[in-house]
């Protein structure tokens, strides 16, 4: 398998966590005899410093010629005074739009070893394994008109969706649910908004093509509550852009740290992969950053851009194994140690990467020797 991956490490802790993710991808390539090439490119603040733009044309062109784009993080306090369209974050929104991915996948999983890191009780989070499918190119983020008239003190944003925009993201949700626990929860505000009524009617129609998958509808307000009350009731959660932005941050509470969460944006010309966390400039270069979000993002690259499901799953179980053995970066070292669990020990970004690499190598060795028998 050949794969050309654009690496947009970006700012702050972006380069250090991306480095660990790339090491894991290199290991998978070596073990499996794959040909992965990595193309480092500038984005965000480092791109502004070098070229004046947060998304230089050379970066975008090279991304469009790649099989996948792996981002680290963008953003630095020194750009805080700039208007939104000149800041490093603008590079992120521009690249999302240019690559065209409309389905943003955000898994939210309760790792048994991290059960003490969530403020929710372990018996509430136990077994939770949710995949958010957030529509990423429509709704209030992109609808027009949009303006703020400072003279009249009036402003407007537009929540707009077409039936085809809803149907295409709904299909992604049903396809994914068919391979999981076969349930889609579609989130809307159909008791108030016409856009949500279109959303609900369209999702209901798409569901007819997936008789093996159960569909339920939830209003966004009560969904916010159910997510915290009984997270294990959900499988795939389908949302429009803003509802998904809000609910996926809420669901990070189930895992216990933003540093653990990966994401993938699919459906466009080239898929875009990014850990959910930001650039954390305060801890950049200190070795404190958690590389697991980036490493789990690398697993999503293999799953969604290379159909290497077995390797993706092997990375994910290597992460669980390392956590179960007690290794913790600073962000996940806070929880008290559950009874009968091994003692926790603090590791750096690089050490965590090495531990996952080791666990992965062991599981691939086992797989290969099983095949050899
Ligand atoms: C996210 C972020 C972005 C979003 C911001 C930074 C534009 O909050 O990825 O969830 O709202 O999509
Ligand atoms: Mn967000």
């Amino acid at each position: 398998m050949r794969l050309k991956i654009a690496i947009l490490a970006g700012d702050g802790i972006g380069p250090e966590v991306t480095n660990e993710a790339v090491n894991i991808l290199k290991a998978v390539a070596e073990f499996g005899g794959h040909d992965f090439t990595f193309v480092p490119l500038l984005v965000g603040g480092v791109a502004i410093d070098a070229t004046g733009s947060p998304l230089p044309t050379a970066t975008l062109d090279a991304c469009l010629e790649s099989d996948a784009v792996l981002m680290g993080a963008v953003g630095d306090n020194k750009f805080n005074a700039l208007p939104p369209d000149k800041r490093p974050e603008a590079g992120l929104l521009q690249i999302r739009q240019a690559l065209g991915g409309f389905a943003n996948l955000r898994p939210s999983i309760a790792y048994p070893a991290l059960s003490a890191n969530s403020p929710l009780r372990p018996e509430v989070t136990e077994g939770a394994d949710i995949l958010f499918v957030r529509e990423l190119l429509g709704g209030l983020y992109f609808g027009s008109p949009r303006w703020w008239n400072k003279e009249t003190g009036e402003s407007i944003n537009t929540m707009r969706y077409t039936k085809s925009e809803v149907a295409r993201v709904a299909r992604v949700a049903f396809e994914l649910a068919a391979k999981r626990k076969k349930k889609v929860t579609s989130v809307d505000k159909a008791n108030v908004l016409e856009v949500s009524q279109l959303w609900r009617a369209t999702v209901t129609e798409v569901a007819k093509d997936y008789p093996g998958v159960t569909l339920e509808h939830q209003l966004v307000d009560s969904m916010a509550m159910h997510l915290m009350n009984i997270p294990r009731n959900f499988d795939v959660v389908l949302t429009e852009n803003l509802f998904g932005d809000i609910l996926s941050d809420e669901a990070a509470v189930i895992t216990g740290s933003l540093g653990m969460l990966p994401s993938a944006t699919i459906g466009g010309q080239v898929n875009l992969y990014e850990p959910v966390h930001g650039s954390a400039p305060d801890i950049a270069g200190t070795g404190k950053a958690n590389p697991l979000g980036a490493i789990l993002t690398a697993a999503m690259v293999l799953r969604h851009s290379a159909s290497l499901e077995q390797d993706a799953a092997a990375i994910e179980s290597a992460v669980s194994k390392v956590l179960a053995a007690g290794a913790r970066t600073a962000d996940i070292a806070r929880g008290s140690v559950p009874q009968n669990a091994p003692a926790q020990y603090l590791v750096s970004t690089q050490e965590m990467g090495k531990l996952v690499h080791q666990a992965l190598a062991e599981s691939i060795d086992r797989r290969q020797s099983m095949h050899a028998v």
Side-chain angles (χ1 to χ4, degrees), residues 190-208:
N191 53 345
V192 177
L193 304 174
E194 284 77 5
V195 175
S196 282
Q197 288 166 352
L198 167 87
W199 181 277
R200 191 176 280 216
T202 307
V203 174
T204 304
E205 206 175 306
V206 169
K208 292 189 187 129

Side-chain angles (χ1 to χ4, degrees), residues 59-146:
T59 296
L60 182 56
D61 289 349
C63 287
L64 288 168
E65 280 164 21
S66 305
D67 300 304
V69 177
L70 177 60
M71 291 230 348
V74 293
D76 192 293
N77 294 332
K78 74 178 182 190
F79 301 105
N80 283 356
L82 293 179
D85 62 330
K86 300 271 184 298
R87 291 166 60 128
E89 290 84 348
L92 173 58
L93 288 180
Q94 284 164 18
I95 197 170
R96 281 183 185 169
Q97 212 174 4
L99 298 181
F102 54 83
N104 180 220
L105 316 185
R106 298 189 168 188
S108 186
I109 294 170
Y111 291 90
L114 295 185
S115 65
N117 287 63
S118 172
L120 298 174
R121 290 195 307 280
E123 64 268 30
V124 174
T125 55
E126 193 188 352
D129 179 356
I130 304 175
L131 179 60
F132 279 86
V133 178
R134 168 191 175 194
E135 201 292 326
L136 203 65
L137 292 183
L140 283 163
Y141 278 65
F142 294 97
S144 57
R146 57 184 303 158

Side-chain angles (χ1 to χ4, degrees), residues 210-253:
Y210 301 88
V213 178
T214 309
L215 168 65
E216 72 172 10
H217 301 281
Q218 287 284 351
L219 296 171
V220 63
D221 49 354
S222 61
M223 182 64 186
M225 182 188 64
H226 291 315
L227 256 184
M228 297 293 99
N229 267 340
I230 13 171
R232 81 172 71 81
N233 266 8
F234 301 103
D235 178 21
V236 172
V237 176
L238 169 65
T239 74
E240 65 87 50
N241 204 344
L242 183 65
F243 295 164
D245 180 45
I246 298 168
L247 292 180
S248 64
D249 264 32
E250 187 194 10
V253 166

